[in-house]
PDB file of all heavy atoms in Angstrom:
ATOM      1  N   GLY A   1       2.909  -7.352  -3.160  1.00  0.00           N
ATOM      2  CA  GLY A   1       3.000  -6.013  -3.732  1.00  0.00           C
ATOM      3  C   GLY A   1       2.122  -5.060  -2.958  1.00  0.00           C
ATOM      4  O   GLY A   1       0.896  -5.146  -3.026  1.00  0.00           O
ATOM      5  N   VAL A   2       2.737  -4.155  -2.181  1.00  0.00           N
ATOM      6  CA  VAL A   2       1.976  -3.215  -1.349  1.00  0.00           C
ATOM      7  C   VAL A   2       1.998  -1.844  -2.021  1.00  0.00           C
ATOM      8  O   VAL A   2       3.037  -1.196  -2.079  1.00  0.00           O
ATOM      9  CB  VAL A   2       2.560  -3.109   0.077  1.00  0.00           C
ATOM     10  CG1 VAL A   2       1.711  -2.186   0.938  1.00  0.00           C
ATOM     11  CG2 VAL A   2       2.661  -4.487   0.719  1.00  0.00           C
ATOM     12  N   ALA A   3       0.842  -1.419  -2.534  1.00  0.00           N
ATOM     13  CA  ALA A   3       0.739  -0.116  -3.182  1.00  0.00           C
ATOM     14  C   ALA A   3       0.304   0.924  -2.166  1.00  0.00           C
ATOM     15  O   ALA A   3      -0.567   0.662  -1.333  1.00  0.00           O
ATOM     16  CB  ALA A   3      -0.259  -0.178  -4.337  1.00  0.00           C
ATOM     17  N   MET A   4       0.923   2.101  -2.224  1.00  0.00           N
ATOM     18  CA  MET A   4       0.534   3.195  -1.340  1.00  0.00           C
ATOM     19  C   MET A   4      -0.780   3.806  -1.838  1.00  0.00           C
ATOM     20  O   MET A   4      -0.963   3.996  -3.037  1.00  0.00           O
ATOM     21  CB  MET A   4       1.620   4.280  -1.303  1.00  0.00           C
ATOM     22  CG  MET A   4       3.005   3.801  -0.856  1.00  0.00           C
ATOM     23  SD  MET A   4       3.053   3.256   0.868  1.00  0.00           S
ATOM     24  CE  MET A   4       3.088   1.471   0.644  1.00  0.00           C
ATOM     25  N   ASN A   5      -1.673   4.128  -0.917  1.00  0.00           N
ATOM     26  CA  ASN A   5      -2.953   4.716  -1.305  1.00  0.00           C
ATOM     27  C   ASN A   5      -2.783   6.084  -1.948  1.00  0.00           C
ATOM     28  O   ASN A   5      -3.645   6.531  -2.697  1.00  0.00           O
ATOM     29  CB  ASN A   5      -3.867   4.834  -0.082  1.00  0.00           C
ATOM     30  CG  ASN A   5      -5.275   5.222  -0.452  1.00  0.00           C
ATOM     31  OD1 ASN A   5      -5.851   4.684  -1.391  1.00  0.00           O
ATOM     32  ND2 ASN A   5      -5.846   6.174   0.270  1.00  0.00           N
ATOM     33  N   THR A   6      -1.665   6.758  -1.653  1.00  0.00           N
ATOM     34  CA  THR A   6      -1.406   8.056  -2.267  1.00  0.00           C
ATOM     35  C   THR A   6      -0.967   7.912  -3.711  1.00  0.00           C
ATOM     36  O   THR A   6      -0.838   8.901  -4.418  1.00  0.00           O
ATOM     37  CB  THR A   6      -0.293   8.801  -1.499  1.00  0.00           C
ATOM     38  OG1 THR A   6       0.863   7.957  -1.425  1.00  0.00           O
ATOM     39  CG2 THR A   6      -0.741   9.172  -0.108  1.00  0.00           C
ATOM     40  N   GLY A   7      -0.725   6.687  -4.134  1.00  0.00           N
ATOM     41  CA  GLY A   7      -0.160   6.459  -5.463  1.00  0.00           C
ATOM     42  C   GLY A   7      -1.173   6.477  -6.586  1.00  0.00           C
ATOM     43  O   GLY A   7      -2.341   6.819  -6.417  1.00  0.00           O
ATOM     44  N   THR A   8      -0.705   6.052  -7.748  1.00  0.00           N
ATOM     45  CA  THR A   8      -1.538   6.080  -8.941  1.00  0.00           C
ATOM     46  C   THR A   8      -2.473   4.878  -8.985  1.00  0.00           C
ATOM     47  O   THR A   8      -2.278   3.876  -8.290  1.00  0.00           O
ATOM     48  CB  THR A   8      -0.651   6.056 -10.199  1.00  0.00           C
ATOM     49  OG1 THR A   8       0.108   4.835 -10.208  1.00  0.00           O
ATOM     50  CG2 THR A   8       0.309   7.237 -10.218  1.00  0.00           C
ATOM     51  N   VAL A   9      -3.488   4.983  -9.833  1.00  0.00           N
ATOM     52  CA  VAL A   9      -4.428   3.882 -10.013  1.00  0.00           C
ATOM     53  C   VAL A   9      -3.702   2.651 -10.528  1.00  0.00           C
ATOM     54  O   VAL A   9      -3.968   1.519 -10.112  1.00  0.00           O
ATOM     55  CB  VAL A   9      -5.551   4.298 -10.992  1.00  0.00           C
ATOM     56  CG1 VAL A   9      -6.429   3.104 -11.344  1.00  0.00           C
ATOM     57  CG2 VAL A   9      -6.395   5.406 -10.378  1.00  0.00           C
ATOM     58  N   ALA A  10      -2.740   2.847 -11.441  1.00  0.00           N
ATOM     59  CA  ALA A  10      -1.993   1.717 -12.012  1.00  0.00           C
ATOM     60  C   ALA A  10      -1.251   0.946 -10.927  1.00  0.00           C
ATOM     61  O   ALA A  10      -1.222  -0.291 -10.934  1.00  0.00           O
ATOM     62  CB  ALA A  10      -1.003   2.225 -13.064  1.00  0.00           C
ATOM     63  N   ALA A  11      -0.655   1.669  -9.978  1.00  0.00           N
ATOM     64  CA  ALA A  11       0.071   1.007  -8.889  1.00  0.00           C
ATOM     65  C   ALA A  11      -0.880   0.205  -8.016  1.00  0.00           C
ATOM     66  O   ALA A  11      -0.604  -0.940  -7.640  1.00  0.00           O
ATOM     67  CB  ALA A  11       0.822   2.045  -8.053  1.00  0.00           C
ATOM     68  N   LYS A  12      -2.047   0.785  -7.685  1.00  0.00           N
ATOM     69  CA  LYS A  12      -3.002   0.096  -6.811  1.00  0.00           C
ATOM     70  C   LYS A  12      -3.623  -1.116  -7.496  1.00  0.00           C
ATOM     71  O   LYS A  12      -3.964  -2.102  -6.847  1.00  0.00           O
ATOM     72  CB  LYS A  12      -4.078   1.078  -6.339  1.00  0.00           C
ATOM     73  CG  LYS A  12      -3.541   2.110  -5.348  1.00  0.00           C
ATOM     74  CD  LYS A  12      -4.654   2.861  -4.642  1.00  0.00           C
ATOM     75  CE  LYS A  12      -5.223   3.960  -5.488  1.00  0.00           C
ATOM     76  NZ  LYS A  12      -6.156   4.822  -4.728  1.00  0.00           N
ATOM     77  N   GLU A  13      -3.758  -1.043  -8.817  1.00  0.00           N
ATOM     78  CA  GLU A  13      -4.296  -2.189  -9.550  1.00  0.00           C
ATOM     79  C   GLU A  13      -3.268  -3.318  -9.642  1.00  0.00           C
ATOM     80  O   GLU A  13      -3.623  -4.494  -9.651  1.00  0.00           O
ATOM     81  CB  GLU A  13      -4.713  -1.764 -10.964  1.00  0.00           C
ATOM     82  CG  GLU A  13      -5.929  -0.853 -11.016  1.00  0.00           C
ATOM     83  CD  GLU A  13      -7.207  -1.568 -10.629  1.00  0.00           C
ATOM     84  OE1 GLU A  13      -7.244  -2.807 -10.706  1.00  0.00           O
ATOM     85  OE2 GLU A  13      -8.174  -0.884 -10.230  1.00  0.00           O
ATOM     86  N   ALA A  14      -1.988  -2.964  -9.701  1.00  0.00           N
ATOM     87  CA  ALA A  14      -0.935  -3.977  -9.871  1.00  0.00           C
ATOM     88  C   ALA A  14      -0.607  -4.695  -8.571  1.00  0.00           C
ATOM     89  O   ALA A  14      -0.276  -5.884  -8.581  1.00  0.00           O
ATOM     90  CB  ALA A  14       0.333  -3.320 -10.427  1.00  0.00           C
ATOM     91  N   GLY A  15      -0.700  -4.004  -7.437  1.00  0.00           N
ATOM     92  CA  GLY A  15      -0.354  -4.624  -6.156  1.00  0.00           C
ATOM     93  C   GLY A  15      -1.443  -5.567  -5.676  1.00  0.00           C
ATOM     94  O   GLY A  15      -2.585  -5.522  -6.141  1.00  0.00           O
ATOM     95  N   ASN A  16      -1.075  -6.455  -4.745  1.00  0.00           N
ATOM     96  CA  ASN A  16      -2.095  -7.321  -4.140  1.00  0.00           C
ATOM     97  C   ASN A  16      -2.454  -6.868  -2.725  1.00  0.00           C
ATOM     98  O   ASN A  16      -3.188  -7.544  -2.030  1.00  0.00           O
ATOM     99  CB  ASN A  16      -1.669  -8.794  -4.146  1.00  0.00           C
ATOM    100  CG  ASN A  16      -0.248  -9.003  -3.680  1.00  0.00           C
ATOM    101  OD1 ASN A  16       0.251  -8.256  -2.847  1.00  0.00           O
ATOM    102  ND2 ASN A  16       0.413 -10.020  -4.218  1.00  0.00           N
ATOM    103  N   MET A  17      -1.918  -5.716  -2.325  1.00  0.00           N
ATOM    104  CA  MET A  17      -2.331  -5.050  -1.092  1.00  0.00           C
ATOM    105  C   MET A  17      -2.286  -3.547  -1.321  1.00  0.00           C
ATOM    106  O   MET A  17      -1.485  -3.063  -2.124  1.00  0.00           O
ATOM    107  CB  MET A  17      -1.409  -5.392   0.085  1.00  0.00           C
ATOM    108  CG  MET A  17      -1.475  -6.816   0.562  1.00  0.00           C
ATOM    109  SD  MET A  17      -0.513  -7.025   2.078  1.00  0.00           S
ATOM    110  CE  MET A  17      -0.585  -8.813   2.255  1.00  0.00           C
ATOM    111  N   VAL A  18      -3.157  -2.822  -0.616  1.00  0.00           N
ATOM    112  CA  VAL A  18      -3.147  -1.361  -0.665  1.00  0.00           C
ATOM    113  C   VAL A  18      -3.073  -0.849   0.769  1.00  0.00           C
ATOM    114  O   VAL A  18      -3.897  -1.217   1.602  1.00  0.00           O
ATOM    115  CB  VAL A  18      -4.402  -0.793  -1.361  1.00  0.00           C
ATOM    116  CG1 VAL A  18      -4.388   0.730  -1.311  1.00  0.00           C
ATOM    117  CG2 VAL A  18      -4.489  -1.272  -2.799  1.00  0.00           C
ATOM    118  N   ASP A  19      -2.064  -0.018   1.048  1.00  0.00           N
ATOM    119  CA  ASP A  19      -1.906   0.579   2.374  1.00  0.00           C
ATOM    120  C   ASP A  19      -2.577   1.947   2.373  1.00  0.00           C
ATOM    121  O   ASP A  19      -2.096   2.878   1.719  1.00  0.00           O
ATOM    122  CB  ASP A  19      -0.422   0.706   2.719  1.00  0.00           C
ATOM    123  CG  ASP A  19      -0.203   1.397   4.054  1.00  0.00           C
ATOM    124  OD1 ASP A  19      -1.177   1.495   4.830  1.00  0.00           O
ATOM    125  OD2 ASP A  19       0.924   1.842   4.313  1.00  0.00           O
ATOM    126  N   LEU A  20      -3.695   2.057   3.080  1.00  0.00           N
ATOM    127  CA  LEU A  20      -4.457   3.301   3.083  1.00  0.00           C
ATOM    128  C   LEU A  20      -3.713   4.434   3.771  1.00  0.00           C
ATOM    129  O   LEU A  20      -3.988   5.601   3.518  1.00  0.00           O
ATOM    130  CB  LEU A  20      -5.814   3.078   3.769  1.00  0.00           C
ATOM    131  CG  LEU A  20      -6.713   2.021   3.130  1.00  0.00           C
ATOM    132  CD1 LEU A  20      -8.014   1.902   3.904  1.00  0.00           C
ATOM    133  CD2 LEU A  20      -6.985   2.337   1.675  1.00  0.00           C
ATOM    134  N   ASP A  21      -2.757   4.108   4.661  1.00  0.00           N
ATOM    135  CA  ASP A  21      -1.985   5.136   5.358  1.00  0.00           C
ATOM    136  C   ASP A  21      -0.728   5.540   4.600  1.00  0.00           C
ATOM    137  O   ASP A  21      -0.024   6.460   5.014  1.00  0.00           O
ATOM    138  CB  ASP A  21      -1.574   4.646   6.753  1.00  0.00           C
ATOM    139  CG  ASP A  21      -2.770   4.442   7.666  1.00  0.00           C
ATOM    140  OD1 ASP A  21      -3.752   5.187   7.506  1.00  0.00           O
ATOM    141  OD2 ASP A  21      -2.737   3.533   8.513  1.00  0.00           O
ATOM    142  N   SER A  22      -0.418   4.811   3.514  1.00  0.00           N
ATOM    143  CA  SER A  22       0.783   5.096   2.717  1.00  0.00           C
ATOM    144  C   SER A  22       2.042   5.106   3.577  1.00  0.00           C
ATOM    145  O   SER A  22       2.886   5.984   3.466  1.00  0.00           O
ATOM    146  CB  SER A  22       0.633   6.428   1.967  1.00  0.00           C
ATOM    147  OG  SER A  22      -0.481   6.387   1.113  1.00  0.00           O
ATOM    148  N   ASP A  23       2.152   4.105   4.426  1.00  0.00           N
ATOM    149  CA  ASP A  23       3.299   3.960   5.329  1.00  0.00           C
ATOM    150  C   ASP A  23       4.040   2.678   4.944  1.00  0.00           C
ATOM    151  O   ASP A  23       3.562   1.586   5.229  1.00  0.00           O
ATOM    152  CB  ASP A  23       2.812   3.882   6.772  1.00  0.00           C
ATOM    153  CG  ASP A  23       3.942   3.620   7.762  1.00  0.00           C
ATOM    154  OD1 ASP A  23       5.119   3.654   7.344  1.00  0.00           O
ATOM    155  OD2 ASP A  23       3.650   3.376   8.942  1.00  0.00           O
ATOM    156  N   PRO A  24       5.204   2.778   4.294  1.00  0.00           N
ATOM    157  CA  PRO A  24       5.887   1.575   3.816  1.00  0.00           C
ATOM    158  C   PRO A  24       6.295   0.619   4.928  1.00  0.00           C
ATOM    159  O   PRO A  24       6.388  -0.580   4.710  1.00  0.00           O
ATOM    160  CB  PRO A  24       7.121   2.126   3.088  1.00  0.00           C
ATOM    161  CG  PRO A  24       7.342   3.480   3.674  1.00  0.00           C
ATOM    162  CD  PRO A  24       5.975   3.999   3.986  1.00  0.00           C
ATOM    163  N   THR A  25       6.525   1.142   6.118  1.00  0.00           N
ATOM    164  CA  THR A  25       6.922   0.255   7.213  1.00  0.00           C
ATOM    165  C   THR A  25       5.732  -0.516   7.757  1.00  0.00           C
ATOM    166  O   THR A  25       5.886  -1.329   8.663  1.00  0.00           O
ATOM    167  CB  THR A  25       7.589   1.060   8.352  1.00  0.00           C
ATOM    168  OG1 THR A  25       6.650   1.998   8.871  1.00  0.00           O
ATOM    169  CG2 THR A  25       8.808   1.802   7.842  1.00  0.00           C
ATOM    170  N   LYS A  26       4.541  -0.268   7.211  1.00  0.00           N
ATOM    171  CA  LYS A  26       3.358  -1.055   7.588  1.00  0.00           C
ATOM    172  C   LYS A  26       3.583  -2.525   7.277  1.00  0.00           C
ATOM    173  O   LYS A  26       2.885  -3.394   7.806  1.00  0.00           O
ATOM    174  CB  LYS A  26       2.153  -0.516   6.827  1.00  0.00           C
ATOM    175  CG  LYS A  26       0.811  -1.120   7.227  1.00  0.00           C
ATOM    176  CD  LYS A  26       0.341  -0.601   8.565  1.00  0.00           C
ATOM    177  CE  LYS A  26      -0.014   0.854   8.487  1.00  0.00           C
ATOM    178  NZ  LYS A  26      -1.155   1.159   7.643  1.00  0.00           N
ATOM    179  N   LEU A  27       4.568  -2.821   6.413  1.00  0.00           N
ATOM    180  CA  LEU A  27       4.840  -4.217   6.082  1.00  0.00           C
ATOM    181  C   LEU A  27       5.191  -5.017   7.331  1.00  0.00           C
ATOM    182  O   LEU A  27       4.990  -6.226   7.376  1.00  0.00           O
ATOM    183  CB  LEU A  27       5.974  -4.325   5.057  1.00  0.00           C
ATOM    184  CG  LEU A  27       6.156  -5.737   4.494  1.00  0.00           C
ATOM    185  CD1 LEU A  27       5.063  -6.060   3.491  1.00  0.00           C
ATOM    186  CD2 LEU A  27       7.509  -5.937   3.885  1.00  0.00           C
ATOM    187  N   ILE A  28       5.720  -4.360   8.358  1.00  0.00           N
ATOM    188  CA  ILE A  28       5.997  -5.053   9.617  1.00  0.00           C
ATOM    189  C   ILE A  28       4.707  -5.651  10.161  1.00  0.00           C
ATOM    190  O   ILE A  28       4.657  -6.816  10.572  1.00  0.00           O
ATOM    191  CB  ILE A  28       6.631  -4.092  10.645  1.00  0.00           C
ATOM    192  CG1 ILE A  28       8.036  -3.694  10.188  1.00  0.00           C
ATOM    193  CG2 ILE A  28       6.686  -4.734  12.023  1.00  0.00           C
ATOM    194  CD1 ILE A  28       8.705  -2.701  11.098  1.00  0.00           C
ATOM    195  N   ASP A  29       3.639  -4.852  10.152  1.00  0.00           N
ATOM    196  CA  ASP A  29       2.345  -5.352  10.616  1.00  0.00           C
ATOM    197  C   ASP A  29       1.840  -6.473   9.724  1.00  0.00           C
ATOM    198  O   ASP A  29       1.285  -7.460  10.200  1.00  0.00           O
ATOM    199  CB  ASP A  29       1.316  -4.217  10.644  1.00  0.00           C
ATOM    200  CG  ASP A  29       1.681  -3.124  11.639  1.00  0.00           C
ATOM    201  OD1 ASP A  29       2.235  -3.468  12.699  1.00  0.00           O
ATOM    202  OD2 ASP A  29       1.423  -1.950  11.362  1.00  0.00           O
ATOM    203  N   VAL A  30       2.028  -6.306   8.405  1.00  0.00           N
ATOM    204  CA  VAL A  30       1.568  -7.320   7.455  1.00  0.00           C
ATOM    205  C   VAL A  30       2.309  -8.639   7.688  1.00  0.00           C
ATOM    206  O   VAL A  30       1.706  -9.715   7.689  1.00  0.00           O
ATOM    207  CB  VAL A  30       1.766  -6.833   6.008  1.00  0.00           C
ATOM    208  CG1 VAL A  30       1.371  -7.922   5.015  1.00  0.00           C
ATOM    209  CG2 VAL A  30       0.949  -5.583   5.741  1.00  0.00           C
TER     210      VAL A  30
END
């Protein structure tokens, strides 16, 4: 679960990763 850093606190708490750049394609790097 990759939460965007621009998102809500609830989203960041629920995910097991946080992308500080809020770039969904960062999953390629992950």
